[in-house]
Amino acid sequence: MSIVGFIGLGIMGLPMSRNLIKAGHSLVVYDIVPELVDRAAGAGAARGQSSSDVASRSEIVITMLPDGPEVEQAILGPAGVLEGARPGLMVADMSSISPLAAQKVGAACAARKVDFLDAPVSGGEPKAIDGTLAIMVGGEESVYRKMLPVFQAMGSSVTLTGAVGAGNVTKLANQIIVACNIAAMGEALVLATRAGLDPEVVFNAIKGGLAGSTVLNAKAPMVIARNFKPGFRIRLHQKDLRNALLAAESMKVALPLTASVQQMLMALMNGGKGDLDHSGIVTFIEQMAGTEVKKAQTATV
Ligand code: NAD
């Protein structure tokens, strides 16, 4: 069992830190929001005063923050992890950030003899609570092996995908497939609804065929029920596709479908829909067509 520092106690970080405590690890935690530190302390964690304080008291540090700038601030910035780190400290950033940012942080850690892994997750809040996240890791295999028991307390699938940055490339691949899948589903259901069909009948007719997917099964019923409660927020998915486009540009890769859906997400955020579930991508297509996907009304006498 290890002394684990945990920085970033939001929707994902708080339940992940609780699962580490349940698995028997000793936790030292920090978040810029003091109430979140109080909640983790209530579950048995020790309070850290800053990211550097957490690092100085830990063998392993995990960060679970919104995006690259926050990760750079918490690890490289003033009162950050590297200020408190001893050589041999292991740091795993589990946020979803640009692979380029992960490599920058990884290089700065290596210069201080601190081991770094990027280890973003898939699965959302329910799987963070259950401890069944899918964890995609980038970094050296020897470090990965040492950190594996800690990852296994938070996830049911842990995969080493390559060097530092590879975890986030894998996560971006996941996010591209999910976003484009939702947009394609939106176009299909808008067309079917406008043609006078019941979208639920169409969904049931196609879900067992080649168009069937986990995304279709999870999101089509939400759209048909007009339930856009998050789940995974539009603003977070926009951030992930922006990071995918930045990484693609650095490698001169064209991602026309990703770019198109990223623009839809941006427009939805500007329309006040940033905190809807990402199934709300469908509402962008509905607006362009002037047709809302909903179950055909049965006549009442
Ligand atoms: P969140 O906004 O709920 O939590 C982030 C936390 O970081 C907040 O509590 C915030 O106060 C804290 N924070 C910000 N800057 C800080 C700093 N400099 N020092 C210390 N604390 C700081 O976000 P979340 O939903 O928990 O997501 C975290 C990451 O996980 C994101 O990269 C997200 O894309 C990814 N992710 C989220 C989900 C999901 O369903 N929510 C699923 C998979 C992956």
Side-chain angles (χ1 to χ4, degrees):
M1 292 304 145
S2 308
I3 304 171
V4 181
F6 206 108
I7 300 167
L9 302 165
I11 293 177
M12 300 293 286
L14 194 60
M16 288 163 72
S17 65
R18 284 196 180 125
N19 284 330
L20 288 169
I21 293 171
K22 270 193 222 152
H25 299 286
S26 300
L27 271 271
V28 188
V29 299
Y30 178 66
D31 193 290
I32 49 175
V33 178
E35 297 78 61
L36 293 171
V37 177
D38 292 343
R39 287 178 65 186
R47 292 165 203 268
Q49 300 306 317
S50 64
S51 294
S52 63
D53 178 44
V54 165
S56 70
R57 295 161 64 185
S58 305
E59 297 160 325
I60 290 170
V61 171
I62 291 172
T63 48
M64 193 55 172
L65 300 163
D67 196 4
E70 291 84 3
V71 172
E72 288 189 26
Q73 192 190 359
I75 297 181
L76 312 182
V81 169
L82 285 186
E83 269 189 18
R86 291 178 308 275
L89 179 75
M90 289 183 278
V91 178
D93 176 45
M94 302 189 74
S95 331
S96 304
I97 69 172
S98 152
L100 305 172
Q103 285 164 351
K104 177 180 170 186
V105 173
C109 287
R112 298 284 301 272
K113 299 204 174 348
V114 168
D115 291 317
F116 178 81
L117 301 174
D118 66 322
V121 308
S122 169
E125 189 184 15
K127 293 194 173 204
I129 293 169
D130 294 349
T132 56
L133 292 165
I135 304 175
M136 300 150 250
V137 189
E140 275 180 31
E141 189 170 355
S142 57
V143 184
Y144 167 77
R145 285 190 188 285
K146 285 188 215 157
M147 293 272 302
L148 196 54
V150 168
F151 290 141
Q152 283 169 336
M154 297 179 280
S156 53
S157 152
V158 188
T159 311
L160 181 64
T161 59
V164 169
N168 275 293
V169 173
T170 308
K171 171 70 182 177
L172 292 178
N174 182 81
Q175 296 304 80
I176 289 169
I177 292 171
V178 172
C180 292
N181 217 326
I182 294 173
M185 174 189 83
E187 293 194 358
L189 294 182
V190 164
L191 176 71
T193 307
R194 178 72 151 265
L197 281 70
D198 183 335
E200 192 160 29
V201 171
V202 175
F203 165 59
N204 285 325
I206 67 176
K207 69 183 181 192
L210 193 55
S213 70
T214 307
V215 171
L216 187 72
N217 287 343
K219 301 300 176 183
M222 285 180 75
V223 172
I224 293 165
R226 310 310 292 170
N227 167 21
F228 298 111
K229 187 173 168 289
F232 189 68
R233 288 175 209 278
I234 279 177
R235 69 175 74 259
L236 282 180
H237 216 144
Q238 190 274 341
K239 177 259 306 183
D240 289 338
L241 296 194
R242 175 168 43 76
N243 285 337
L245 293 171
L246 286 171
E249 191 182 339
S250 76
M251 293 179 271
K252 298 195 173 19
V253 173
L255 300 180
L257 298 179
T258 303
S260 176
V261 181
Q262 194 259 355
Q263 293 294 298
M264 293 181 198
L265 289 162
M266 180 94 80
L268 289 165
M269 282 168 61
N270 288 333
K273 293 182 173 174
D275 289 316
L276 295 188
D277 185 71
H278 55 168
S279 54
I281 291 171
V282 172
T283 64
F284 181 90
I285 296 150
E286 290 176 337
Q287 211 177 354
M288 287 197 298
T291 295
E292 196 171 276
V293 174
K294 52 184 177 196
K295 204 167 155 40
Q297 299 294 309
T298 41
T300 47
V301 185

